[in-house]
Amino acid sequence: MISVSHESAKAALEAAEARFIANNPLSKKQHELAVGALPGGNTRTLLHTSPFPLTMNQGKGAHVWDEDGHKYLDLVGELTAGLYGHSNPIIRETMLSTFDNVGLSLGSTTVQEHKHASLLCSRFKLKRVRMANTGTEANMHALAGARHYTSRRKVIVFSGGYHGAVFSFPNGKAAPNTVDKDDFVVVPRYNDIGLAVDAIRSTPDLAAVLVEPMQGAGGCIPGSKEFLHAIQDAAHEVGALFILDEVMTSRLAPHGLGFELGLKPDLVTMGKYLGGGLAFGAFGGREEVMAVYDPRVEGSLAHSGTFNNNTLVTSVGYEALKRVFTEEACVKLNERGDGLRERLKQVTKGTKIMFSGRGSLIGVHFVDEAVEVFTCGEDIQGKERRDLRDLFWFEMLEAGYWTTRRGFVALILETEEKELEGFVEAVGKFAERHRDIVAL
Ligand code: PMP
């Protein structure tokens, strides 16, 4: 039997969706055009939302505007890559001066690629680094390197782990499009030391353990220090490499989250904001391991990529990290994120709305009953309320806040404190307005 609260949630959601359709005729029209060239009108699955996605046509500072002229505070933050906002003057100046004084596509090594690589090494405590175009590529090359270095094949990953477009492990299984699917062993729960160590010790031919220090796409679930150290130690015990995927989390502490937690990964993968808003990925770590990619050595691995060292990204990524996202700026932004998460928790106390994450990255969850322990996606399996999540998304849009439908907030540097206060207020009002359906 459907409960009264589910019935009212259904009615509220239908009404919100109807208002969304009425308020966004130009986004709807754009979607109808887009389906003529793109399957489902989409080229990035995450961005598809039913009944149609909002089409944004401008970003300025910390705001974005849609086709119908609505203005939103950008809390999507391009899933962490948009850290610098939409119009940072240093980024603008670097793009223009690179174009004017250096030019694009030199087809050669450049001084700039060394400068960028050196900064990445010193900031993230890596001995050597290589650049790529996406986080997916960074993980792909890190795994190939680990396999070459160990002469082994298998890789342990964790349920809820996301390591790129072709390396995704929802609900304990490799997604259908996973590359080299049969080489992955998926531990069914993140943060479970016993299960992880058993899997590491009992998997023959193990080349690497690949893990996020906080699961990002999996719901902003921080890994405990004990868990991450235990799997690092177990990997080393069996001669496998410990690869830390910091594509999202390197922004959570001045030298990356792994360093903050005292980890010593053999390889680290990165990307997102480190391209200063342009496509970027990187992987690096121990000198002996990275030496598998040294082209001076007979039998080394090739790591190709036309745009790996392109002049724009190596210049913009470098200037942005050096001059904008300084170590101090990093600490400050993450403190602001922690403060925001606490205030959000306060205004939603006693409701089905739950916040997770660390620093400037926040997960928003809707659960049917109080969750005391939330250490992995499995802890809330079967308790999630998609209807409330969708209702929240529609109503946050109406209030002027651009968040991801799945419930993820990534702060950007330019957002002012009073704007975040406005968001807290809007969330509090949502909880108040729908008390009958969100109260625990
Ligand atoms: N690893 C993690 C932890 C990520 O969050 C992502 C992107 N969401 C990737 C890898 C892949 O990065 P990209 O989208 O640049 O390929």
Side-chain angles (χ1 to χ4, degrees), residues 79-80 133-137 139 162-165 212 214 216-217 245-249 269 271-272 280-281 406:
L79 283 303
T80 73
N133 301 281
T134 61
T136 305
E137 266 187 52
N139 280 313
Y162 183 83
H163 303 287
E212 294 156 88
M214 174 178 85
D245 182 338
E246 292 242 46
V247 170
M248 271 199 183
T249 57
T269 57
K272 302 271 194 194
F280 187 67
R406 75 169 180 223

Side-chain angles (χ1 to χ4, degrees), residues 89-412:
I90 292 178
I91 290 180
R92 180 180 187 276
E93 168 204 306
T94 309
M95 279 192 186
L96 295 177
S97 66
T98 303
F99 191 90
D100 289 345
N101 305 325
V102 183
L104 306 179
S105 309
L106 301 189
S108 71
T109 53
T110 63
V111 170
Q112 187 56 38
E113 77 195 49
H114 167 243
K115 272 173 82 174
H116 193 198
S118 294
L119 179 62
L120 292 172
C121 283
S122 63
R123 179 78 175 250
F124 297 108
K125 312 297 174 197
L126 312 168
K127 287 290 180 207
R128 298 285 185 273
V129 72
R130 272 185 167 259
M131 271 100 101
N133 301 281
T134 61
T136 305
E137 266 187 52
N139 280 313
M140 189 177 75
H141 292 301
L143 289 179
R147 286 176 172 136
H148 192 81
Y149 183 77
T150 59
S151 301
R152 299 179 185 176
R153 280 287 324 158
K154 299 283 184 197
V155 175
I156 284 186
V157 289
F158 294 85
S159 180
Y162 183 83
H163 303 287
V166 291
F167 301 118
S168 163
F169 306 93
N171 304 317
K173 284 203 284 287
N177 63 350
T178 302
V179 165
D180 294 334
K181 210 168 161 202
D182 295 338
D183 286 331
F184 288 99
V185 174
V186 188
V187 179
R189 292 173 67 89
Y190 183 65
N191 265 325
D192 187 317
I193 296 179
L195 283 179
V197 171
D198 279 355
I200 294 168
R201 289 188 179 146
S202 64
T203 300
D205 200 27
L206 186 66
V209 179
L210 173 62
V211 67
E212 294 156 88
M214 174 178 85
Q215 286 195 333
C220 277
I221 307 173
S224 78
K225 194 169 175 176
E226 297 69 33
F227 165 72
L228 294 164
H229 277 269
I231 58 179
Q232 172 177 274
D233 293 348
H236 290 159
E237 187 188 301
V238 301
L241 298 190
F242 179 59
I243 308 178
L244 201 61
D245 182 338
E246 292 242 46
V247 170
M248 271 199 183
T249 57
S250 69
R251 55 179 269 169
L252 292 181
H255 309 294
L257 185 52
F259 185 85
E260 188 76 7
L261 298 173
L263 296 166
K264 291 200 165 63
D266 300 290
L267 291 176
V268 174
T269 57
M270 297 179 296
K272 302 271 194 194
Y273 73 97
L274 289 169
L278 301 173
F280 187 67
F283 62 103
R286 280 171 50 202
E287 189 177 346
E288 320 80 273
V289 179
M290 289 301 288
V292 300
Y293 282 111
D294 182 340
R296 299 168 302 181
V297 176
E298 183 78 21
S300 62
L301 281 180
H303 160 229
S304 307
T306 305
F307 289 99
N308 287 353
N309 67 338
N310 78 81
T311 53
L312 262 191
V313 78
T314 49
S315 302
V316 172
Y318 172 80
E319 295 295 337
L321 185 63
K322 194 175 162 67
R323 295 164 60 195
V324 186
F325 198 51
T326 58
E327 295 178 23
E328 298 72 39
C330 171
V331 170
K332 204 163 142 219
L333 181 74
N334 287 302
E335 281 173 359
R336 291 179 67 201
D338 284 333
L340 174 64
R341 189 179 310 93
E342 279 317 304
R343 295 197 296 283
L344 288 168
K345 282 182 182 175
Q346 277 162 23
V347 296
T348 53
K349 228 183 193 141
T351 74
K352 296 176 174 161
I353 313 169
M354 189 173 81
F355 296 94
S356 64
R358 181 179 170 128
S360 57
L361 306 182
I362 300 176
V364 193
H365 309 269
F366 296 84
V367 283
D368 232 353
E369 51 191 84
V371 174
E372 301 304 334
V373 180
F374 183 34
T375 57
C376 63
E378 284 65 27
D379 284 338
I380 57 168
Q381 219 163 44
K383 298 176 186 163
E384 284 178 282
R385 288 285 300 271
R386 261 173 173 253
D387 54 347
L388 299 183
R389 187 198 72 176
D390 291 348
L391 178 65
F392 180 80
W393 186 73
F394 283 124
E395 295 201 0
M396 284 305 116
L397 290 180
E398 281 181 288
Y401 298 97
W402 178 229
T403 66
T404 61
R405 177 91 162 232
R406 75 169 180 223
F408 180 83
V409 166
L411 294 190
I412 61 184

Side-chain angles (χ1 to χ4, degrees), residues 16-31:
E17 185 169 322
R19 293 195 302 274
F20 174 86
I21 294 169
N23 288 339
N24 296 288
L26 295 181
S27 276
K28 182 167 184 285
K29 195 167 153 212
Q30 181 54 41
H31 178 62

Side-chain angles (χ1 to χ4, degrees), residues 343-344 346-349 351 353 355 392 396 421-435 438:
R343 295 197 296 283
L344 288 168
Q346 277 162 23
V347 296
T348 53
K349 228 183 193 141
T351 74
I353 313 169
F355 296 94
F392 180 80
M396 284 305 116
E421 282 314 317
F423 178 56
V424 172
E425 204 177 297
V427 173
K429 280 188 185 156
F430 174 86
E432 229 10 84
R433 187 161 63 245
H434 295 296
R435 185 139 294 275
V438 299

